[in-house]
Amino acid sequence: MNEIKKHVFVCVNERNERNPKGCCASKDSLKIMTQLKRTIKDKGIKDIRVNKSGCLGCCENGVSCVIYPEGTWYTIPNKEKSILEISESIINGEISKNYLMYSDK
Ligand code: FES
């Protein structure tokens, strides 16, 4: 088994559509998570693991994603170009400033 150096968590939490908090699932987070995972896997990278997560507590900013050990938070739009850019930044150990959830980082 490979040593995992980085964990990428993407919220796929789903709530009733009448819940005022909203949810990442309603913004296609499962599709986004799958695409992110496939992009990284297709490059043969085995030490970065992409996982589904429950609510990460920042629903209004979703689709929410956090990467450890860095602790980088992203809002991932449902756009191929954005997902690709974020994937590349994760692989290269860089920060994709265009999609940072919190601008003070
Ligand atoms: S539902 Fe995704 S962060 Fe709460």
Side-chain angles (χ1 to χ4, degrees), residues 41-57:
K41 188 177 175 200
D42 285 353
K43 291 189 183 285
I45 294 165
K46 295 184 170 42
D47 59 359
I48 299 175
R49 189 168 177 106
V50 180
N51 290 320
K52 297 177 202 168
S53 89
C55 178
L56 293 167

Side-chain angles (χ1 to χ4, degrees), residues 21-39:
K21 279 185 162 182
C23 67
C24 292
S26 70
K27 300 172 199 167
D28 275 338
S29 62
L30 184 59
K31 181 184 150 215
I32 290 169
M33 191 279 306
T34 304
Q35 207 170 333
L36 200 61
K37 189 174 199 157
R38 189 171 302 136
T39 303

Side-chain angles (χ1 to χ4, degrees), residues 11 13 15 23-24 55-59 64:
C11 171
N13 187 45
R15 289 194 177 96
C23 67
C24 292
C55 178
L56 293 167
C58 41
C59 320
S64 306

Side-chain angles (χ1 to χ4, degrees), residues 83-101:
I83 297 167
L84 210 60
E85 185 178 320
I86 291 169
S87 303
E88 292 293 331
S89 72
I90 293 168
I91 291 165
N92 296 327
E94 297 164 351
I95 290 178
S96 181
K97 292 193 170 125
N98 292 333
Y99 304 105
L100 281 176
M101 186 178 287

Side-chain angles (χ1 to χ4, degrees), residues 2-7 46-49 68-70:
N2 293 301
E3 185 185 340
I4 305 299
K5 295 198 171 117
K6 208 175 280 200
H7 289 272
K46 295 184 170 42
D47 59 359
I48 299 175
R49 189 168 177 106
Y68 290 117
E70 296 96 321

